[in-house]
Amino acid sequence: MSIYDTLNEPQREAVFYTDGPLLILAGAGSGKTRVLTHRIAYLIEERGVNPWNILAITFTNKAADEMRQRVDRLVSFGAESIWVSTFHSACVRILRRFIDRLGYENRFTIYDTDDQKTLIREVCRKLDVDTKVFRERSLLAAISSAKNEMIMPDEFELNAAGDFSKQKIAKVYREYETQLKANNALDFDDLLVKTVQLLETQPDVLENYQERFRYIMVDEYQDTNTVQFRLVRLLAGKYRNLCVVGDDDQSIYKFRGANIRNILDFEHEFPDARVIKLEQNYRSTGNILNAANGVISNNRGRKEKTLWTDNGEGEKVQLRQFDTAYDEADFIADDIRREVENGAAYNDHAVLYRTNAQSRMFEEKFIAMNIPYKIVGGINFYARREIKDILAYLKTVDNGRDDLAVRRIINVPKRGIGLTTINRIQESADERGIGFYEALLAPELIPGVGRSSAKLDSFAALIEYFKGRAQEESISDLLREIIEKTGYVENLEADDKEDAEARVQNIDELVNKAAAYEEDCQDRGEQARLSGFLEEIALVADIDSLDEEQDYVVLMTLHSAKGLEFPHVYLAGMEDGLFPSYMTITSDNEEDLEEERRLCYVGITRAEQKLTLTCARRRMVRGETQYNKISRFIKEIPRELIDTGHKKIKEGQDIPVQNTYAHAKQAFRTQAFAGIGNRTAAGTGSQPFSVLQKGSQLTAQKGGKLGYEVGDRVRHVKFGEGTVLDIKEGGRDHEVTVDFDGVGVRKMFAMFARLVKV
């Protein structure tokens, strides 16, 4: 039996179509990785294509590793010659060989997000830019957005004519680029931008890689941005054997620069392209898929497709609405504990949410109930202080032009080199047109350093010693020597004994990482290089830290969850104003709401067997209690697919509130909210909880002096129109509760609200 007999008909069609442009529209869980790997095997074993003529690109190291392993199992000869990598890794390999054509040294440093923030702060200080007006984060976002569109400083400055703010950003952008080049460093966007510039300006380099990569496959094509599209188009320009795989319904990274038009307009760019749809889902049950189909069908900007499965209908989608976010977290934690007691594993469960801030309540509940968990997308291991310090030593050894790295460690551990001395070194370097480290090599030429000259000389001698050792010993041995010679661990223990143990363990883990990298290089028959080790670390993503073998509940944002799957998924905070977000609801751009809906679709399709949707009627957001309507996305799910835990709910009727607190807490809540309305214990089938029922004590107050009263329609400058539910007379002002049409219930003081009767 052939390996291709295990594929369904559309999958086989995609595997066997090898010449010319091909768009594979692969729905969630439809086996796209299986198709790509079998396609590679078919090209090599049936079509006689050389393995080194194949390039397969995806977005995460995790996905690339999985594809590599599958290819190795399928292809008997030459699999190691296939380029299977992320966009950034592929670009780094190209730039390591040819970036000198663009005026950089080949041993460049890759700056992570923290490095970028440090650099932008220095740029703002140099240009006297007020970071209270021009936020560092906003400046970096503007620069990244420009690079994603291949807009360089000259063009950016030209486009900014007549706009003071944009002109200021243009100056920051230009200086930022100047400093990057002076440090012989690239940020993540540069890895793509410089590769495109290289291919567009160096015909022989372009010819080399077009000949090398005669067959190109791109995974997750819906997530590509403009510069990635240009890169792919350049590489595939000669032979046009370009196969892209993606799902426009899972395009959720617009904020990172992803351009959904790349996949929607593929046939326009390649009129002779073949389009094949993969709609059979192998992951989820029928009810989960029908819920996903029901939601995503409301989007207009999409290519029509409908997921289906042979897995059976499965359980209905569980929907639970609670009084508060505390109740919501309590229910989810208790539900996970109950399932584990019945034989499930902790890692069968994932809690997904729209914003990082939602994780706090779940963490508190999980800790209280001794439920092991891991937050994906928290502090990256390589962003921890002690790891950044040690890596800065390695970066300085590898690339002395990296001023950020040198400045980070010049007084770590403390050597008595103060900020004044560091500033004088920088000023001297700037005046002489040389780098910070180069100035350090001749401290006697730096004015005003005085007695610090000997300390600077000692530090430079230490770095030069490490540079010499790097040529003679392994990376792991070099790491150990740096830690020992600098006395870094002893300094940690002296500064903070309580925190030192955990930090030392992190340093030990970094040494383990270096040893593992060396072993991997040995297995591949490659030389373990310091620059290669730093490169691998720089390209690590948060999702790559997820260990699926460990038994813990996963907490993560919906954006982080893409590409993953779990037996039981909880989508928490399904409320208008939270998901979809308030900004989306109030936006005039329909595309923003469609992106949020795609995010919901992604969340739903992460579930294999069971999906639970939860929401709360009131939630504390930025210190303000908000009363939220149930998410419009829930209302787009066919009612027959939903189980609320109560008797059948009629169309238009509220979902009963679930109560999970202990009796004492329930009694306290009932007393605190006396008169608001009837509560329902889960499963009783009583009347649902109705917020602020007419005639209750909270709606008894009138507000004649305000120009409006309970029941009137009013307009708010930010929230739009709504109905006044309650007016309370306070000491100095009236507290007004309004049910706004777009964002739900809000409580506010009349003086600040400035409501106008309509």
Side-chain angles (χ1 to χ4, degrees):
M1 175 174 145
S2 167
I3 60 172
Y4 310 109
D5 293 338
T6 61
L7 305 173
N8 63 38
E9 188 53 41
Q11 287 176 335
R12 277 195 294 272
E13 184 182 356
V15 167
F16 297 155
Y17 188 85
T18 57
D19 296 325
L22 170 65
L23 169 61
I24 303 175
L25 289 173
S30 61
K32 62 183 179 63
T33 304
R34 185 178 179 81
V35 168
L36 284 175
T37 52
H38 279 69
R39 196 170 187 271
I40 291 172
Y42 181 78
L43 283 169
I44 295 171
E45 297 186 345
E46 304 297 330
R47 295 295 308 276
V49 174
N50 293 318
W52 51 87
N53 289 143
I54 299 173
L55 170 65
I57 302 179
T58 187
F59 273 80
T60 67
N61 294 317
K62 183 182 176 65
D65 289 343
E66 181 183 354
M67 191 182 297
R68 164 65 66 190
Q69 291 169 15
R70 291 200 195 184
V71 168
D72 289 345
R73 288 196 294 268
L74 287 174
V75 178
S76 56
F77 173 75
E80 69 282 353
S81 301
I82 305 167
W83 271 33
V84 181
S85 69
T86 65
F87 268 103
H88 291 92
S89 295
C91 288
V92 168
R93 290 182 70 173
I94 294 172
L95 293 174
R96 288 291 182 203
R97 286 191 63 189
F98 294 107
I99 198 172
D100 56 308
R101 303 276 191 99
L102 300 179
Y104 290 78
E105 293 179 11
N106 296 82
R107 297 168 71 90
F108 57 84
T109 296
I110 303 171
Y111 276 2
D112 62 17
T113 305
D114 285 341
D115 297 328
Q116 288 180 269
K117 289 177 182 176
T118 301
L119 183 58
I120 206 74
R121 277 196 294 270
E122 294 184 1
V123 168
C124 289
R125 188 161 52 244
K126 183 175 182 179
L127 297 180
D128 198 24
V129 173
D130 187 351
T131 53
K132 292 180 180 179
V133 177
F134 296 91
R135 300 285 183 182
E136 295 159 1
R137 185 175 178 180
S138 298
L139 290 170
L140 283 171
I143 292 170
S144 179
S145 179
K147 289 185 178 184
N148 285 336
E149 296 299 320
M150 289 293 293
I151 298 173
M152 297 299 100
D154 286 344
E155 184 180 353
F156 192 97
E157 195 166 22
L158 192 64
N159 295 339
D163 187 317
F164 173 78
S165 293
K166 288 185 178 178
Q167 286 177 334
K168 184 70 75 171
I169 296 171
K171 290 180 180 178
V172 172
Y173 184 12
R174 183 178 297 281
E175 182 61 26
Y176 174 80
E177 288 297 282
T178 300
Q179 292 299 321
L180 276 175
K181 190 163 188 180
N183 293 352
N184 195 40
L186 306 179
D187 62 23
F188 284 113
D189 295 318
D190 283 333
L191 297 177
L192 302 167
V193 170
K194 299 304 178 188
T195 304
V196 170
Q197 289 178 340
L198 178 70
L199 297 178
E200 288 181 340
T201 60
Q202 307 296 320
D204 60 319
V205 177
L206 176 62
E207 172 75 15
N208 174 62
Y209 284 107
Q210 285 180 336
E211 284 295 328
R212 172 71 188 265
F213 303 128
R214 300 189 180 196
Y215 291 85
I216 299 173
M217 280 162 272
V218 183
D219 193 11
E220 304 287 7
Y221 190 67
Q222 77 281 345
D223 294 333
T224 55
N225 57 28
T226 300
V227 66
Q228 287 165 334
F229 168 74
R230 284 175 66 169
L231 173 65
V232 169
R233 188 173 59 182
L234 281 166
L235 292 175
K238 184 172 185 178
Y239 291 100
R240 303 183 75 254
N241 296 323
L242 173 63
C243 167
V244 300
V245 184
D247 181 6
D248 52 298
D249 289 336
Q250 296 187 71
S251 179
I252 60 173
Y253 296 124
K254 182 180 179 181
F255 69 99
R256 293 182 187 169
N259 186 354
I260 194 173
R261 302 312 311 180
N262 287 348
I263 191 167
L264 294 180
D265 297 340
F266 187 80
E267 296 102 309
H268 176 73
E269 291 292 335
F270 300 93
D272 56 335
R274 179 82 162 268
V275 180
I276 299 172
K277 296 181 182 179
L278 305 182
E279 297 173 292
Q280 182 176 358
N281 177 284
Y282 293 91
R283 173 191 301 158
S284 306
T285 62
N287 282 331
I288 291 172
L289 294 181
N290 289 331
N293 289 330
V295 172
I296 201 63
S297 64
N298 290 275
N299 272 5
R300 297 178 184 177
R302 65 185 292 260
K303 292 178 177 290
E304 190 64 37
K305 69 185 92 59
T306 303
L307 295 180
W308 62 275
T309 186
D310 284 335
N311 292 340
E313 289 187 356
E315 293 186 38
K316 287 189 175 183
V317 175
Q318 303 296 306
L319 175 57
R320 300 290 185 267
Q321 187 177 31
F322 302 91
D323 288 354
T324 69
Y326 290 99
D327 290 343
E328 176 188 51
D330 195 46
F331 165 78
I332 290 177
D334 193 60
D335 198 52
I336 292 172
R337 182 174 62 179
R338 186 174 60 252
E339 290 202 355
V340 170
E341 288 172 353
N342 291 330
Y346 287 113
N347 62 9
D348 288 339
H349 305 83
V351 183
L352 311 181
Y353 36 77
R354 181 64 181 85
T355 65
N356 278 308
Q358 291 171 256
S359 70
R360 178 185 64 83
M361 232 167 273
F362 296 109
E363 288 191 78
E364 291 176 358
K365 292 294 182 184
F366 287 178
I367 290 171
M369 294 188 181
N370 288 321
I371 295 174
Y373 70 92
K374 178 181 177 66
I375 294 181
V376 175
I379 297 178
N380 187 300
F381 174 81
Y382 298 108
R384 293 184 168 108
R385 188 191 78 194
E386 62 277 11
I387 302 302
K388 294 283 288 183
D389 288 344
I390 301 300
L391 289 178
Y393 272 99
L394 293 181
K395 289 179 180 180
T396 301
V397 170
D398 187 57
N399 171 26
R401 286 177 57 185
D402 186 354
D403 287 357
L404 288 189
V406 182
R407 281 200 298 267
R408 182 182 184 96
I409 58 171
I410 191 171
N411 199 41
V412 176
K414 290 183 173 58
R415 300 183 173 89
I417 302 173
L419 184 59
T420 301
T421 299
I422 292 172
N423 289 338
R424 284 172 177 164
I425 299 168
Q426 188 64 62
E427 289 167 4
S428 176
D430 291 343
E431 288 174 3
R432 294 152 62 192
I434 59 176
F436 187 91
Y437 183 73
E438 190 176 350
L440 275 180
L441 295 176
E444 67 277 3
L445 299 180
I446 304 172
V449 295
R451 289 178 295 177
S452 296
S453 178
K455 298 172 184 175
L456 301 181
D457 195 47
S458 176
F459 171 72
L462 181 65
I463 297 301
E464 290 299 307
Y465 169 78
F466 289 146
K467 285 187 175 186
R469 298 299 295 163
Q471 306 299 319
E472 302 171 5
E473 57 189 10
S474 67
I475 300 167
S476 53
D477 286 340
L478 176 63
L479 261 174
R480 293 187 187 96
E481 189 158 11
I482 287 173
I483 295 164
E484 179 186 348
K485 290 275 195 257
T486 60
Y488 190 87
V489 169
E490 290 82 352
N491 186 262
L492 275 182
E493 293 171 341
D495 281 353
D496 188 348
K497 290 184 178 180
E498 292 183 7
D499 202 30
E501 183 177 355
R503 294 188 181 277
V504 171
Q505 288 174 352
N506 289 337
I507 293 171
D508 290 341
E509 185 58 32
L510 181 63
V511 177
N512 293 341
K513 168 64 180 176
Y517 168 76
E518 290 164 350
E519 289 180 8
D520 289 343
C521 288
Q522 187 175 6
D523 291 343
R524 296 194 300 265
E526 300 174 359
Q527 181 182 357
R529 298 174 294 106
L530 179 55
S531 57
F533 175 65
L534 293 170
E535 171 189 311
E536 184 170 301
I537 287 174
L539 298 178
V540 167
D542 286 342
I543 195 64
D544 298 322
S545 68
L546 180 61
D547 186 349
E548 296 175 0
E549 300 301 316
Q550 293 294 316
D551 192 21
Y552 46 61
V553 179
V554 174
L555 299 174
M556 65 171 74
T557 64
L558 285 152
H559 282 101
S560 298
K562 189 167 170 295
L564 302 176
E565 55 195 49
F566 303 90
H568 190 170
V569 167
Y570 300 86
L571 291 189
M574 296 293 292
E575 304 138 29
D576 269 5
L578 187 59
F579 189 37
S581 68
Y582 167 75
M583 293 285 290
T584 301
I585 293 172
T586 56
S587 170
D588 294 330
N589 190 346
E590 183 66 21
E591 291 182 4
D592 292 340
L593 181 59
E594 294 210 348
E595 173 126 349
E596 288 278 287
R597 187 175 283 113
R598 291 194 293 269
L599 189 57
C600 182
Y601 172 84
V602 166
I604 292 172
T605 54
R606 298 313 93 196
E608 297 174 324
Q609 301 162 15
K610 190 173 180 180
L611 173 66
T612 300
L613 309 176
T614 63
C615 52
R617 289 186 181 274
R618 59 189 177 93
R619 184 182 298 271
M620 188 76 74
V621 179
R622 292 181 294 275
E624 175 185 305
T625 299
Q626 295 184 357
Y627 292 84
N628 298 323
K629 296 178 179 180
I630 193 169
S631 172
R632 62 195 63 197
F633 298 148
I634 288 180
K635 297 176 183 178
E636 292 171 352
I637 299 174
R639 183 55 61 91
E640 66 272 11
L641 302 177
I642 295 177
D643 176 6
T644 65
H646 293 71
K647 67 181 183 181
K648 188 174 180 180
I649 307 301
K650 296 178 182 178
E651 193 70 33
Q653 185 179 357
D654 276 356
I655 297 164
V657 173
Q658 313 295 317
N659 291 300
T660 59
Y661 272 30
H663 177 73
K665 293 181 180 178
Q666 175 61 47
F668 173 79
R669 256 202 328 265
T670 303
Q671 182 181 8
F673 289 86
I676 292 181
N678 295 323
R679 272 187 171 68
T680 306
T684 64
S686 304
Q687 287 295 316
F689 169 52
S690 178
V691 177
L692 301 170
Q693 289 184 359
K694 191 174 182 180
S696 73
Q697 68 180 33
L698 293 184
T699 59
Q701 299 289 337
K702 300 271 184 176
K705 296 179 181 179
L706 300 175
Y708 53 83
E709 58 185 39
V710 173
D712 284 345
R713 295 283 292 173
V714 294
R715 180 183 295 112
H716 185 275
V717 66
K718 181 178 179 182
F719 299 139
E721 293 188 7
T723 302
V724 178
L725 299 179
D726 172 37
I727 300 174
K728 271 185 174 179
E729 192 165 356
R732 296 185 178 180
D733 198 3
H734 291 81
E735 185 181 78
V736 185
T737 303
V738 182
D739 183 2
F740 290 102
D741 299 339
V743 299
V745 178
R746 293 289 187 274
K747 295 173 72 172
M748 58 197 73
F749 288 112
M751 183 187 302
F752 298 105
R754 298 183 181 179
L755 299 169
V756 179
K757 185 176 177 179
V758 295

